[in-house]
């Protein structure tokens, strides 16, 4: 993601997160963090259809945000973005990866569980201004050969699904 993508990302953010969207300024602030952040976009037919942000601090990583345009859900866009961010976290030496997810977001929770994330607890009123609750999830350890193999197998499975659907 680059600064020139932020207008499109901000529009997409309001479609994806109708209750508590990030502002364009917040995305600007994240990009301004430099090497401690990694932001990706997914494109289809020349349009942004998804995005994901990763923060790094020492040997810990954190998924800041991930969103997929509603029309593209169920097509593995989110999974591919997560795998790319987890690989980047591993490349940078992370041993774990954390995130928060709205408690009523079952599809996202299923994706995260597929990628080795487990529930650690609940943050009441985490999402603002709606006051929605969030599960705190973490994948650990992500720096092992086994975890890398799991990411490879997951990506191979979604590639097979995509070929079968074509």
């Amino acid at each position: 993601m680059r600064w020139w993508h932020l207008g499109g990302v901000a529009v997409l953010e309001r479609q994806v997160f109708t209750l508590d969207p990030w502002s364009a300024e917040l995305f600007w602030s994240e990009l301004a963090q430099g090497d401690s952040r990694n932001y990706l976009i997914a494109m289809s037919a020349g349009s942004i259809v998804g995005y994901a942000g990763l923060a790094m601090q020492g040997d810990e990583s954190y998924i800041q945000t991930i969103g997929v345009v509603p029309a593209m859900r169920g097509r593995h866009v989110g999974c591919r973005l997560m795998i790319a961010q987890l690989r980047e976290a591993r490349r940078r030496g992370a041993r774990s990866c954390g995130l928060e997810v709205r408690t009523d977001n079952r599809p996202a929770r299923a994706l995260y569980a597929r990628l080795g994330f487990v529930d650690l607890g609940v943050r009441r009123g985490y999402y603002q201004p709606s006051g929605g609750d969030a599960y705190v999830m973490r994948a650990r350890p992500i720096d092992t050969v086994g975890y890398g193999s799991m990411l490879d197998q997951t990506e191979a499975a979604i590639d097979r699904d995509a070929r079968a659907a074509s």
Side-chain angles (χ1 to χ4, degrees):
M1 183 184 300
R2 299 291 184 254
W3 65 267
W4 55 85
H5 297 123
L6 293 181
V9 169
V11 169
L12 178 58
E13 173 77 1
R14 289 188 298 277
Q15 294 172 9
V16 173
F17 299 106
T18 56
L19 292 175
D20 304 302
W22 280 17
S23 66
E25 292 79 17
L26 186 51
F27 280 103
W28 274 99
S29 173
E30 282 292 300
L31 290 183
Q33 299 296 317
D35 290 342
S36 70
R37 301 294 193 269
N38 187 62
Y39 273 76
L40 303 174
I41 58 169
M43 303 284 292
S44 178
S47 296
I48 298 171
V49 296
Y51 55 89
L54 175 76
M56 293 292 304
Q57 184 169 1
D59 65 354
E60 295 183 4
S61 62
Y62 189 83
I63 300 296
Q64 297 285 81
T65 189
I66 180 167
V68 175
V69 68
M72 293 296 287
R73 290 183 184 154
R75 297 184 187 182
H76 307 295
V77 174
C79 190
R80 289 184 188 281
L81 285 165
M82 283 293 295
I83 289 170
Q85 292 293 36
L86 289 162
R87 285 189 172 138
E88 179 64 14
R90 288 168 46 86
R91 186 188 72 75
R92 294 186 187 196
R95 298 179 42 79
S96 68
C97 187
L99 56 80
E100 280 95 13
V101 60
R102 194 176 275 280
T103 55
D104 60 358
N105 191 342
R106 289 190 177 108
R109 292 193 68 227
L111 168 61
Y112 305 147
R114 181 179 184 184
L115 296 173
F117 286 79
V118 296
D119 292 340
L120 297 180
V122 176
R123 289 197 172 144
R124 302 276 179 219
Y126 177 75
Y127 291 100
Q128 294 301 315
S130 72
D133 297 338
Y135 286 112
V136 177
M137 301 183 81
R138 180 163 306 281
R140 177 184 294 149
I142 67 168
D143 60 337
T144 64
V145 171
Y147 192 83
S149 293
M150 184 274 298
L151 292 177
D152 292 344
Q153 290 168 10
T154 301
E155 187 171 46
I158 62 176
D159 287 345
R160 282 191 302 276
D161 288 350
R163 283 193 302 275
S166 336

